[in-house]
Amino acid sequence: MGLLEAIWTDIQLLAFPALFNIYFAASSLPIGFGLAVLLALGKNSRNPVVSRLSSAYIYAFRGSPLFIQFFMFYSIMLALNPIWWRPMGIAWFAMSPLFIGPLALVMNTTAYTAEIFYGALRTVPKGELEAARAFGMSRLQVFRTVTWPNMIRVAWPAYTNEVTFLFHATALVYFTLPVIGNQKDIMNKATELFERDFNVFLHFSVAGLYFLVITMAIFFVFGLVYARMMRHMPKERQPHRPRLRFGPKYIR
Amino acid sequence: MGEDFAFWLAYLTNGKHLAFYASFRFTILAAVFGALLALVFGLLGAMARNSRFAPLRWLGTIYIMMVRGIPDVLFFLFFPLAFEQSVEWALSLSVCSAEARAGSAWPPCPAANLFFSTTEYLILACVSLGIIFGAFTANVIHGAMRAVPRGQLEAGRAYGMSEFQVLTRIHVRQMWIYALPGLSNVWLLLIKATSLLSLLQINDIVWWAGQLGSPNFLPQAGLVHGDWRWAYYTVLFVFYIFVTLGSEQVFRRLTAWARRGMPLEA
């Protein structure tokens, strides 16, 4: 069997597992995005209790490894199984890796994204906020017309980085949660293939290729969104699209 | 009350727990040596990126793109396995017969089969951590090198220093001030990555937490405890938060020390 043929076989074998990585990322990102906006507003809040609590949450989840967080969530769910999930009859759902995985990822990405949004919130021009208030806008209107558009434009490149890192983090899911039947992600399948014929270079390279290609696709799509967000700016003053570059603050 | 205290004291100091406490050394060793290697790879990478020799520059770019586009777990597993197989292959050239090597089985013959111990896996883990975070360090150092005021380098040249002297006596020494915030970030990432050691069959704190927390039944004592894994993992969760807090303090002091004598805003 030629090398190209072997690579092609691997690409086919890893296509279905790749869907699991995409599922974990796609299911946790929108929820994390929404919660992160709330959490960032909470950290920026003038109420000291809300602000402290939000900061503490963000610090805790950014300051500890996601690997441990997965174990922690899974074991907590496991401990709650006999007292809550089983009596309620939802154990099949609550104990499924397809639920716990996104749960842990949401908790994690919320913290990272909130920190990005909080940084962006602080760059919203004070003058614009005052102008909006002077027009007699309600707080919701100020948020919708001034805070949000400013914040999301500043935060978008960093958020793109966070999305790719979250996608990479999905590789950890099945190292910590039980594998049920055919539900395997890229890393899991690659390890399984490796254990069959010990060809580490082939299987791990193809797995890496999958991550690389999907990462590039994320950058491309988010770059298009960014270009659309920035379409009001004159061409020469438009900032560069987010590219495959370093954002080490946002890794797990 | 007294009985409770005696139970906890005995429980938390039994042999398995002492082994658990001792396993913190793997995490600490991996963090320290991983960081040192990352610094070395980072300096090399930054030099490669600054190189006038194009292929070396491309190598630097490819290195950074690979590390950036591929999850660290994949690298962390791949490097030790690839290294093991490369050594086995080199070994098989001398110890295996030609017909065994022609076959498709791996390893070609039992004599070329290596079994790495914890120490060897720990060294390999340090090297993979060094490779992964070396790319981040290279980026930080590359930026810091460019942040050193040009005037200082020109002053060095005006004193008649050679290019190499300017590099070692002024450029690299002044660079640290600008690199420290970035290096602090990389260190925080690296600490978090040390939690992956158990993937390389090292019995580190994560592995022990799983072992100690599982429901514990002894024929003499009956059920000692049920599933306590959540408590052990929560302790590790808190442990890492405290390490992060402590590291931030240390880096704050280090920055203050490195910046002594400098104007406040620059």
Side-chain angles (χ1 to χ4, degrees), chain A residues 125-137:
Chain A
K126 286 273 176 296
E128 289 187 27
L129 290 173
E130 280 160 18
R133 236 173 276 139
F135 270 120
M137 286 188 185

Side-chain angles (χ1 to χ4, degrees), chain A residues 38-43 49-59:
Chain A
L38 295 180
L39 199 63
L41 289 173
K43 187 171 174 180
V49 179
V50 174
S51 170
R52 289 269 170 78
L53 280 178
S54 311
S55 308
Y57 177 89
I58 293 173
Y59 196 89

Side-chain angles (χ1 to χ4, degrees), chain A residues 55-73:
Chain A
S55 308
Y57 177 89
I58 293 173
Y59 196 89
F61 279 85
R62 291 178 79 228
S64 59
L66 178 65
F67 195 57
I68 305 259
Q69 288 167 25
F70 270 123
F71 276 122
M72 194 175 77
F73 278 114

Side-chain angles (χ1 to χ4, degrees), chain A:
Chain A
M1 193 163 65
L3 179 64
L4 280 177
E5 226 172 296
I7 291 175
W8 178 237
T9 320
D10 258 31
I11 289 177
Q12 284 171 319
L13 282 174
L14 287 174
F16 180 66
L19 290 180
F20 281 88
N21 289 79
I22 294 169
Y23 161 76
F24 285 123
S27 59
S28 47
L29 278 169
I31 305 171
F33 185 90
L35 292 176
V37 175
L38 295 180
L39 199 63
L41 289 173
K43 187 171 174 180
N44 203 29
S45 156
R46 255 182 254 139
N47 183 337
V49 179
V50 174
S51 170
R52 289 269 170 78
L53 280 178
S54 311
S55 308
Y57 177 89
I58 293 173
Y59 196 89
F61 279 85
R62 291 178 79 228
S64 59
L66 178 65
F67 195 57
I68 305 259
Q69 288 167 25
F70 270 123
F71 276 122
M72 194 175 77
F73 278 114
Y74 180 56
S75 56
I76 289 174
M77 297 297 275
L78 214 55
L80 290 177
N81 196 19
I83 52 172
W84 284 3
W85 315 133
R86 225 176 290 148
M88 278 152 67
I90 53 166
W92 60 272
F93 175 72
M95 291 313 296
S96 161
L98 296 180
F99 171 70
I100 300 177
L103 175 75
L105 287 169
V106 163
M107 301 288 276
N108 188 273
T109 189
T110 300
Y112 280 87
T113 314
E115 186 65 25
I116 295 169
F117 286 171
Y118 172 73
L121 264 184
R122 297 182 64 90
T123 67
V124 175
K126 286 273 176 296
E128 289 187 27
L129 290 173
E130 280 160 18
R133 236 173 276 139
F135 270 120
M137 286 188 185
S138 71
R139 287 174 70 171
L140 194 68
Q141 279 175 318
V142 174
F143 179 77
R144 223 184 49 221
T145 55
V146 179
T147 316
W148 171 255
N150 272 307
M151 183 190 92
I152 197 68
R153 286 195 179 105
V154 172
W156 198 255
Y159 183 67
T160 310
N161 263 320
E162 159 60 20
V163 170
T164 61
F165 277 124
L166 182 91
F167 180 68
H168 289 177
T170 60
L172 283 174
V173 174
Y174 279 121
F175 281 112
T176 48
L177 303 182
V179 179
I180 299 173
N182 207 16
Q183 298 174 6
K184 295 186 178 104
D185 76 335
I186 296 176
M187 278 310 290
N188 215 290
K189 189 76 184 171
T191 322
E192 185 198 293
L193 291 172
F194 162 74
E195 275 158 9
R196 213 176 284 160
D197 61 0
F198 298 108
N199 195 342
V200 66
F201 291 95
L202 174 68
H203 302 311
F204 277 59
S205 303
V206 175
L209 194 71
Y210 260 104
F211 279 107
L212 203 60
V213 167
I214 298 175
T215 306
M216 302 273 220
I218 292 172
F219 272 104
F220 179 73
V221 172
F222 277 68
L224 288 183
V225 175
Y226 191 60
R228 185 164 165 77
M229 272 181 191
M230 289 296 179
R231 67 192 183 280
H232 61 290
M233 301 277 282
K235 262 279 175 301
E236 63 279 3
R237 278 185 55 205
Q238 268 182 15
H240 291 292
R241 279 194 199 174
R243 279 176 302 124
L244 200 65
R245 51 146 206 216
F246 278 88
K249 263 187 226 161
Y250 312 111
I251 202 184
R252 289 167 169 76

Side-chain angles (χ1 to χ4, degrees), chain A residues 59-69 71-72 74-76 78-79 112 161 164-165 167-169 171-172 175 187 191 194 197-201 204-205 207-209 211-212 215-216 219 243-252, chain B residues 49 64-74 77-78 81-83 85-86 104 106-107 133 135-136 139-140 185-186 189 191-193 195-199 205-206 227 229-231 233-234 236-238 240-242 244-246 248:
Chain A
Y59 196 89
F61 279 85
R62 291 178 79 228
S64 59
L66 178 65
F67 195 57
I68 305 259
Q69 288 167 25
F71 276 122
M72 194 175 77
Y74 180 56
S75 56
I76 289 174
L78 214 55
Y112 280 87
N161 263 320
T164 61
F165 277 124
F167 180 68
H168 289 177
L172 283 174
F175 281 112
M187 278 310 290
T191 322
F194 162 74
D197 61 0
F198 298 108
N199 195 342
V200 66
F201 291 95
F204 277 59
S205 303
L209 194 71
F211 279 107
L212 203 60
T215 306
M216 302 273 220
F219 272 104
R243 279 176 302 124
L244 200 65
R245 51 146 206 216
F246 278 88
K249 263 187 226 161
Y250 312 111
I251 202 184
R252 289 167 169 76
Chain B
R49 266 189 76 175
I64 282 164
M65 205 177 102
M66 293 240 305
V67 172
R68 180 65 184 75
I70 295 172
D72 51 353
V73 206
L74 204 154
L77 282 180
F78 171 77
L81 291 172
F83 181 82
Q85 289 205 343
S86 306
S104 62
W106 187 270
F133 292 100
F136 291 99
N139 202 55
V140 168
N185 266 331
V186 177
L189 305 178
I191 300 174
K192 286 187 258 171
S195 62
L196 299 174
L197 288 181
S198 55
L199 297 181
I205 48 176
V206 181
D227 191 351
R229 268 175 290 182
W230 62 273
Y233 287 130
T234 309
L236 291 188
F237 179 70
V238 174
Y240 271 102
I241 294 171
F242 275 109
T244 305
L245 267 171
E248 278 186 355

